[in-house]
């Protein structure tokens, strides 16, 4: 596979609302991001994925866009956006925009027009159906609770929405829709952005009458047309959010010969502790061996035929250190362990804001302290179904999206230095200990560990391009793998749990010299690795020659 810059890049995701407020309105903004670019340069990232900053009524915090060519006033102006792109570029950082084109806001002029009458020229920009037997056209559910159909009294038809009823799905069968979206994408590409993160892109080829929502028959042709009409003419990174992808499906998107996307962002490893039917609101314990299997399967099956993202977090997931690490006495060790496990694999690593300082989940007692539409809909609908407040709060504490959305903890001053006003979502009370200022002043911090992991990836081709092999597959507590390229070998050893664990070097690994690349405890470099007693959440990576 031809080498590309984005194979070697590390991406940092910013959720602008929670990043840094410079106006005192309690909401993060573009100038706040500009202010912190030096911080991101210091971390060493190459790309910023910006969650949506377009004009929006914020029903789903910007994933409901009412003007693709304008910036939400609470985030700033188009001049701020241009300056952000330029200032980032000066630091060698590219900005990738969140492309949300499965749906728009119900306040988008297209939808306002479309709702006016059945024969409005924009009617067919969206998906409308007549009632069936006096009710919904079919039983497709919305991902945000309730049916995916909303009745419009005015025109006596239902429109389709896979997310909130304020996020009507676009009709991708309509060539006019395709054309408008392509033009809008070119508008952004001409500004010099570094690419697109494509929101729920697996949903655009849907066939609602056949109840096919994801991976529909038109999906890949649509992406190939989009590639040709827009980003295929630029050297940019495109990453598709594809929840249900298998490695086979991933190749359809990301095999370079097919001219679709650079890479996908799939969640198989992140849903292993969700109930198969009920999903994230009914979590189950993580099966560690399954995690090894799934991560390894993606490493080997995509090799040379596609490209994957490496991540533990984003704005839709709980904080990894609280989820699979230990956010109490081993917060620092376990955060570093999880980072080690991921950052030596093949793929493009994504760091979600705050992950680099080990930010944790939150536990607010009152539902009124939550903001996320998905959480609020879940709470409202399940209260009706007889769940207790406590049951629902437990689920929200564990998997609610607001865990990831609390403001970034910059320092230990009031509101964690995020705003001088009232933050739109309460700051996590642990900001007095967990904050950027503390991390920058402490050479042993999680921040410097991530900085080192990023540097190691830049300095060692084997981390980007090497072959992967899982070792000690049946071990219940340690995750061990190697990466090989020409005569270089990297050995990664991590203890995934709090209990100490014994590592015995597999016989087929031979070497003359070993060099410790990174570790989350102090290690005597000369110590033999034939047999190692691993401490709680201990992680090490060696170069063997
Ligand atoms: C996926 C996004 O990541 C999520 O935050 C959003 O709510 C849905 N897509 C709908 O746009």
């Amino acid at each position: 596979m031809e080498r590309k810059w984005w194979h070697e890049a590390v991406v940092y995701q910013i959720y602008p609302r929670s990043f840094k407020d410079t106006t005192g309105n309690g909401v993060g903004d573009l100038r706040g991001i500009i202010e912190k670019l030096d911080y991101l340069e210091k971390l060493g990232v190459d790309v910023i994925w910006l969650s949506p900053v377009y004009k929006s009524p914020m029903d789903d915090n910007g994933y409901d866009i009412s003007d693709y060519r304008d910036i939400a006033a609470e985030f700033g102006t188009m001049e701020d956006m241009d300056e952000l792109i330029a200032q980032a570029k000066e630091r060698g950082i590219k900005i990738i925009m969140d492309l949300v084109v499965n749906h728009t806001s119900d306040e988008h002029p297209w939808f306002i027009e479309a709702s006016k009458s059945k024969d409005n020229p924009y009617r067919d920009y969206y998906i409308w159906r007549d009632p069936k037997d006096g009710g919904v056209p079919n039983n497709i559910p919305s991902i945000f609770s309730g049916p995916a159909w909303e009745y419009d009294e005015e025109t006596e038809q239902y429109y389709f929405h896979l997310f909130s009823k304020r996020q009507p799905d676009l009709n991708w069968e309509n060539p006019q829709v395709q054309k408008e979206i392509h033009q809008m994408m070119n508008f952004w590409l001409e500004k010099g952005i570094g690419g697109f993160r494509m929101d729920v892109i697996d949903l655009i080829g849907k066939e609602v009458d056949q109840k096919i929502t994801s991976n529909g028959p038109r999906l890949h042709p649509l992406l190939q047309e989009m590639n040709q009409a827009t980003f295929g003419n630029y050297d940019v990174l495109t990453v598709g959010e594809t929840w249900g992808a298998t490695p086979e499906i991933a190749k359809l998107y990301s095999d370079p010969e097919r001219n679709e996307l650079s890479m996908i962002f799939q969640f198989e490893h992140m849903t292993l502790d969700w109930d198969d039917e009920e999903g994230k609101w009914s979590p189950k314990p993580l099966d560690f061996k399954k995690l090894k299997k799934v991560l390894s399967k993606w490493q080997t099956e995509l090799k040379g035929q596609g490209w994957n993202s490496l991540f533990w977090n984003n704005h839709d997931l709980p904080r990894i250190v609280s989820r699979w690490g230990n956010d109490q006495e081993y917060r620092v060790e376990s955060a570093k362990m999880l980072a080690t496990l991921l950052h030596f694999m093949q793929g493009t690593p994504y760091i979600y804001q705050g992950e680099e300082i080990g930010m944790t989940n939150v536990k607010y007692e009152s539902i009124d302290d939550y903001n996320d539409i998905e959480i609020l809909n879940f709470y409202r609908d399940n209260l009706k179904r007889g769940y207790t407040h406590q049951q629902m709060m437990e689920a929200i504490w564990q998997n609610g999206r607001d865990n990831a959305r609390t403001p970034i903890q910059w320092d230990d001053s009031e509101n964690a230095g995020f705003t001088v006003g009232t933050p739109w979502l309460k700051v996590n009370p642990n900001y007095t200990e967990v904050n950027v200022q503390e991390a920058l002043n402490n050479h042993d911090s999680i921040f410097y560990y991530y900085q080192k992991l990023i540097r190691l990836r830049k300095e060692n081709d084997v981390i980007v391009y090497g072959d992967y092999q899982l070792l000690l597959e049946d071990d219940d507590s340690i995750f061990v793998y190697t990466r090989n390229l020409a005569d270089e070998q990297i050995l990664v050893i991590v203890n995934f749990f709090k209990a100490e664990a014994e590592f015995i070097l597999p016989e087929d690994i031979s070497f003359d010299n070993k060099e410790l690349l990174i570790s989350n405890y102090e290690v005597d470099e000369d110590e033999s690795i034939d047999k190692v007693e691993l401490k709680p959440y201990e992680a090490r990576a060696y170069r063997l020659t």
Side-chain angles (χ1 to χ4, degrees):
M1 225 159 64
E2 192 193 338
R3 292 186 177 191
K4 296 281 189 187
W5 66 267
W6 41 260
H7 288 138
E8 299 169 18
V10 176
V11 181
Y12 186 91
Q13 184 193 349
I14 292 185
Y15 195 68
R17 211 176 179 72
S18 308
F19 195 63
K20 171 73 183 153
D21 174 23
T22 59
T23 62
N25 68 353
V27 171
D29 46 53
L30 293 174
R31 299 223 71 85
I33 302 173
I34 295 172
E35 203 176 277
K36 298 295 182 187
L37 284 173
D38 288 342
Y39 168 73
L40 298 176
E41 187 184 15
K42 186 177 172 112
L43 181 60
V45 297
D46 311 277
V47 177
I48 293 172
W49 150 20
L50 203 59
S51 275
V53 291
Y54 315 90
K55 192 165 170 214
S56 159
M58 301 288 167
D59 186 52
D60 186 19
N61 288 345
Y63 284 91
D64 49 318
I65 297 168
S66 55
D67 187 345
Y68 289 102
R69 298 175 192 230
D70 200 358
I71 301 294
E74 59 203 297
F75 292 147
T77 63
M78 192 55 92
E79 287 70 49
D80 296 331
M81 187 65 222
D82 291 336
E83 189 179 335
L84 173 60
I85 296 170
Q87 293 249 2
K89 192 170 175 205
E90 271 179 36
R91 292 164 178 83
I93 298 175
K94 299 177 204 282
I95 305 282
I96 69 174
M97 298 297 280
D98 216 313
L99 184 79
V100 187
V101 294
N102 172 66
H103 45 270
T104 68
S105 160
D106 62 344
E107 291 186 22
H108 195 291
W110 298 338
F111 191 72
I112 295 176
E113 281 300 312
S115 308
K116 285 185 179 161
S117 69
K118 281 188 188 163
D119 53 14
N120 187 284
Y122 287 91
R123 184 72 171 182
D124 199 34
Y125 273 44
Y126 296 87
I127 301 167
W128 300 88
R129 292 290 182 273
D130 288 328
K132 195 172 165 216
D133 307 328
V136 286
N138 64 29
N139 62 359
I140 301 180
S142 153
I143 293 165
F144 286 170
S145 232
W149 295 101
E150 183 71 12
Y151 190 59
D152 177 47
E153 302 276 345
E154 201 57 36
T155 58
E156 300 179 331
Q157 279 191 319
Y158 283 86
Y159 67 85
F160 187 75
H161 63 91
L162 272 174
F163 294 90
S164 103
K165 61 179 182 211
R166 303 207 49 199
Q167 294 167 295
D169 280 40
L170 282 166
N171 175 18
W172 273 87
E173 286 298 298
N174 182 343
Q176 201 53 34
V177 167
Q178 298 169 26
K179 204 164 138 208
E180 297 250 24
I181 299 292
H182 294 170
Q183 284 169 354
M184 174 276 283
M185 292 172 72
N186 283 327
F187 164 85
W188 284 100
L189 287 162
E190 281 156 23
K191 279 185 180 290
I193 61 164
F196 294 107
R197 175 268 181 182
M198 303 182 167
D199 191 68
V200 288
I201 202 67
D202 53 343
L203 305 180
I204 66 170
K206 62 178 78 70
E207 295 266 1
V208 290
D209 301 320
Q210 285 157 55
K211 297 201 208 166
I212 299 173
T213 53
S214 70
N215 296 309
R218 289 277 300 140
L219 171 61
H220 294 284
L222 283 172
L223 287 175
Q224 284 169 0
E225 288 159 24
M226 185 188 274
N227 177 311
Q228 273 180 29
T230 67
F231 53 80
N233 305 313
Y234 296 79
D235 185 16
V236 294
L237 183 169
T238 50
V239 49
E241 185 197 23
T242 56
W243 275 83
T246 59
E248 282 314 310
I249 293 176
K251 290 175 202 168
L252 299 178
Y253 290 105
S254 64
D255 177 347
E257 314 246 296
R258 290 176 48 86
N259 291 318
E260 293 191 20
L261 308 182
S262 314
M263 66 185 85
I264 63 152
F265 197 95
Q266 57 75 30
F267 295 78
E268 189 175 359
H269 61 305
M270 297 318 295
T271 55
L272 291 174
D273 59 357
W274 295 6
D275 185 83
D276 295 338
E277 247 105 78
E278 303 278 310
K280 70 182 189 185
W281 300 124
S282 250
K284 61 184 185 195
L286 173 69
D287 178 341
F288 173 62
K289 282 199 207 159
K290 202 144 182 211
L291 176 69
K292 290 207 234 185
K293 234 197 193 117
V294 166
L295 287 173
S296 303
K297 172 180 81 181
W298 279 93
Q299 290 294 299
T300 46
E301 292 191 17
L302 223 51
K303 176 85 195 170
Q305 300 178 64
W307 200 255
N308 198 4
S309 307
L310 300 171
F311 69 95
W312 292 128
N313 288 281
N314 75 1
H315 63 293
D316 295 329
L317 299 169
R319 294 278 180 187
I320 196 64
V321 69
S322 301
R323 185 175 181 182
W324 294 344
N326 178 320
D327 64 8
Q328 302 297 311
E329 73 257 56
Y330 291 104
R331 188 182 64 86
V332 173
E333 291 80 357
S334 65
K336 291 177 180 175
M337 176 279 286
L338 289 158
T340 315
L341 180 51
L342 205 67
H343 279 248
F344 281 97
M345 289 190 174
Q346 182 163 65
T348 298
Y350 286 67
I351 300 169
Y352 177 66
Q353 64 179 31
E355 177 182 339
E356 78 283 11
I357 57 165
M359 278 180 62
T360 68
N361 283 352
V362 278
K363 266 193 180 177
Y364 299 134
E365 292 296 331
S366 163
I367 189 68
D368 298 336
D369 284 332
Y370 287 89
N371 168 282
D372 174 22
I373 182 155
E374 186 186 43
I375 293 181
L376 300 180
N377 284 0
F378 159 74
Y379 188 89
R380 185 196 59 209
D381 291 355
N382 285 288
L383 205 58
K384 283 190 222 142
R385 281 189 215 119
Y387 283 77
T388 66
H389 169 79
Q390 196 57 27
Q391 279 171 326
M392 287 185 294
M393 293 317 281
E394 302 272 351
I396 292 167
W397 292 335
Q398 193 158 345
N399 274 324
R401 304 195 298 181
D402 280 340
N403 281 310
R405 301 179 179 184
T406 61
I408 291 298
Q409 298 160 205
W410 292 105
D411 57 38
D412 62 2
S413 68
E414 204 183 344
N415 292 322
F418 163 70
T419 178
V420 293
T422 308
W424 70 278
L425 183 68
K426 277 191 184 168
V427 169
N428 188 321
N430 67 9
Y431 72 91
T432 48
E433 293 108 65
V434 181
N435 62 64
V436 169
Q437 193 179 40
E438 185 283 331
L440 291 177
N441 288 335
N442 172 0
H443 71 270
D444 247 353
S445 68
I446 301 168
F447 176 90
Y448 290 116
Y449 198 89
Y450 270 87
Q451 186 191 55
K452 188 164 180 188
L453 286 170
I454 296 170
R455 200 174 58 233
L456 285 167
R457 175 167 286 262
K458 302 246 167 289
E459 290 166 357
N460 295 280
D461 270 0
V462 54
I463 302 176
V464 180
Y465 298 109
D467 290 335
Y468 171 95
Q469 197 191 351
L470 178 69
L471 302 172
L472 306 177
E473 195 177 333
D474 294 323
D475 193 288
D476 291 319
S477 49
I478 62 181
F479 199 135
V480 182
Y481 62 88
T482 53
R483 301 292 308 283
N484 278 281
L485 187 72
D487 50 3
E488 271 201 86
Q489 177 164 60
I490 291 194
L491 171 68
V492 179
I493 310 167
V494 317
N495 175 6
F496 202 80
F497 297 99
K498 185 173 168 183
E500 290 180 4
E502 190 177 71
F503 166 77
I504 310 255
L505 186 71
E507 276 171 14
D508 47 347
I509 300 225
S510 62
F511 56 92
D512 297 322
N513 295 302
K514 66 177 195 319
E515 177 197 348
L516 183 69
L517 294 176
I518 195 163
S519 65
N520 62 350
Y521 283 87
E522 256 188 59
V523 172
D524 173 1
E525 293 241 14
D526 299 327
E527 178 194 316
S528 149
I529 54 167
D530 290 347
K531 183 173 163 200
V532 183
E533 298 301 330
L534 295 168
K535 300 197 176 67
Y537 305 103
E538 180 161 359
R540 304 178 183 191
Y542 287 96
R543 187 207 318 274
L544 307 178
T545 44

